Amino acid sequence: MIDVGTILGLVLLVCALLAIAQRRLAAGDDAFVKAIASELPQTQCAQCGYPGCRPYAEALVGGAAIDLCPPGGEATVQKLAELLPHNPRASAGLATSPAMVARIDEARCIGCYLCIEACPVDAIVGAPKYMHTVLRDACTGCELCLPPCPVDCIVMERP
Amino acid sequence: MIARYLRPMQSRWCVEPGDVVRCGALLGSGRVRTHAAFTGTVASIDDERLELDVAGTEQIPSLDPLDVHSSRATVLERIEHAGIVGLGGGGFPTHLKLAEALRRGVDKLVINAVECEPGVHCDAALCEQFEPEIVQGIEALQHLLDAEVHITQGAATCPSRQAWQTHTLNADTPAGAERQLCRSIFGITLAADERPVHHGIVVVNVGTAHAIARALQGWPLISRMVTVAGENRWLAIGTPISSLLEGSSFRVGGRLSGQTVGGDAPIGKTTNAVEPAPASRNAQPCINCAACDVICPEDLPVAQLARLPRGNVEAAQRLAADRCIECGLCTPVCPSHIDVLTILRQHRHDVRHATTQRQAAAAAGNRFEAREQRRAVQSALREARRQERLQRRQRNG
């Protein structure tokens, strides 16, 4: 008969192994998240329902649907399907739109700072009560600056 | 007559339909400025182009004259305000090129008057007719960059001074391309991702030097020399090609690297030559003769690239499609009449586009992470201050 001590010993051993394995796998996960994030377009637009591209990459490792990224479009879905063959698709097709950048109509800007707070990639420069402007090269076209603007002075246009 | 202007990348129109503009007025600003070369009314504007209903063709300088020996910043600003781009065909904004050259430091200024493509000899006419301006432009560049001047020329004779070194080259295509110039003049072979500026060299087309001299005299870039079916003419930018030549489609550029455009295309800033479009030839399947591989001056696997379906960007990148200099030698040597250059151009464009997108995405990702960290630190600080206040209040009673 196996005594209680042996069982306890085995349980402890398995727990220790699991703890080590988890730490190892977590390190691997981090690299995997990075690999997935590098396939995402980094617009940080949150259209996927997660607050940025890295958070979506983390959710993808946890099994989220692979077709939630409109800026990435079908090309990104293909790449993600290769990396994550077991993740589901949420719908049949994914609508994509052409790349746009934001522009602030500087004459109408009141310097409220709300768009600067909203921009996920620090692409808007300015200070409270001073005119703001969008750095076109840095803008990812996420449109997150549009809703907070109280005077609707931000327009999206082709780069 | 309707003059047309194409919107340069990262620029936007700054007039409205119905606006009456004088010659030299600013039509678009941003990375590159666009000026009206005519007096007239803005007829229509869309994302790609602006149409100007021309009322008068008389040209007047719209900027104040500037002394050649003004400060570097003033001269650079004037070059930007005149909307000058590389007139040799590249079309890269000259103020950005020179600013990078100043930032990195250059010791050699190459004035490129090697016209190496059949069907283009606008620079030769420019050298003949505008010697004082060209010399003034080169002196302005020399003053700006503080570099030794190298004049390179082919069949034409470029204006020169004793202190400048003149190199006369055998002007076979692609002798005038800047990578080839670096090799033939200085013996420097540029790596795939290098440009002349990485070796302290800046190459400026002679037409660009002339445009810089005119900008200092007060002229924005609103005219240029163009070879129209073999004849050199000084033309206003925006002139419809259909007013110069008969036909419904035209070839813009030289006989090797030119591109066919539609009947409503205008003379642009980089248009060095126009001709009636050649008759299209029926392409046959590739017979693997490798004539294109042999002739390619950049030693690219041209035949493989020509067979590669468009859209396979990763494969195109592996085959170094972005190193194509678009000289166009591969098309005429093809016995199957395949338009190899057009295919290579598409691959090159796709690869470059994908590369810039990848770099921009990585930068955006880094900025996002930096912002997240910054916000975490800020909220931790706020929380700490709140706790401190709370404790102080409890102590005080």
Side-chain angles (χ1 to χ4, degrees), chain B residues 275-309:
Chain B
E275 271 189 350
S280 63
R281 303 189 297 178
N282 275 338
Q284 305 287 321
C286 174
I287 57 165
N288 294 318
C289 69
C292 49
D293 283 351
V294 172
I295 200 149
C296 177
E298 288 291 311
D299 290 332
L300 297 177
V302 185
Q304 280 191 65
L305 278 165
R307 277 197 297 270
L308 191 70

Side-chain angles (χ1 to χ4, degrees), chain A residues 11-77:
Chain A
V11 166
L12 278 175
L13 189 71
V14 168
C15 281
L17 276 177
L18 276 177
I20 293 168
Q22 198 209 355
R23 203 161 290 170
R24 279 277 172 82
L25 282 180
D29 265 10
D30 202 39
F32 193 34
V33 166
K34 265 198 188 133
I36 293 171
S38 72
E39 296 300 341
L40 296 172
Q42 302 296 330
T43 45
Q44 319 294 348
C45 62
Q47 288 181 66
C48 52
Y50 300 92
C53 294
R54 191 188 29 77
Y56 179 40
E58 282 162 7
L60 279 165
V61 174
I66 54 171
D67 57 344
L68 300 176
C69 178
E74 207 54 43
T76 300
V77 176

Side-chain angles (χ1 to χ4, degrees), chain B residues 152-201:
Chain B
T152 59
Q153 57 188 29
T157 309
C158 181
S160 189
R161 289 280 171 276
Q162 281 227 310
W164 302 345
Q165 294 186 44
T166 303
H167 309 261
T168 305
L169 306 176
N170 177 14
D172 287 340
T173 309
E178 54 179 24
R179 301 176 70 86
Q180 274 62 23
L181 281 181
C182 288
R183 205 173 308 161
S184 56
I185 304 174
F186 305 115
I188 295 171
T189 305
L190 299 179
D193 56 347
E194 279 182 334
R195 283 171 293 124
V197 72
H198 295 116
H199 291 270
I201 305 168

Side-chain angles (χ1 to χ4, degrees), chain A residues 40-42 44 51-55 79 103 117-122 136-140 157-159, chain B residues 7-12 47-48 314 357-358 360-362 364-372 374-375:
Chain A
L40 296 172
Q42 302 296 330
Q44 319 294 348
C53 294
R54 191 188 29 77
K79 291 254 173 66
R103 179 169 65 83
E117 302 244 280
C119 178
V121 291
D122 289 338
R136 291 174 82 90
D137 289 342
C139 178
T140 62
E157 56 186 27
R158 291 276 298 280
Chain B
R7 184 177 69 92
M9 237 174 55
Q10 294 176 32
S11 306
R12 63 174 192 274
D47 205 39
E48 300 296 327
E314 276 164 29
Q357 278 214 322
R358 215 173 23 247
N366 289 341
R367 285 200 307 281
F368 175 75
E369 296 299 337
R371 176 175 177 268
E372 293 283 284
R374 193 178 67 224
R375 279 155 62 105

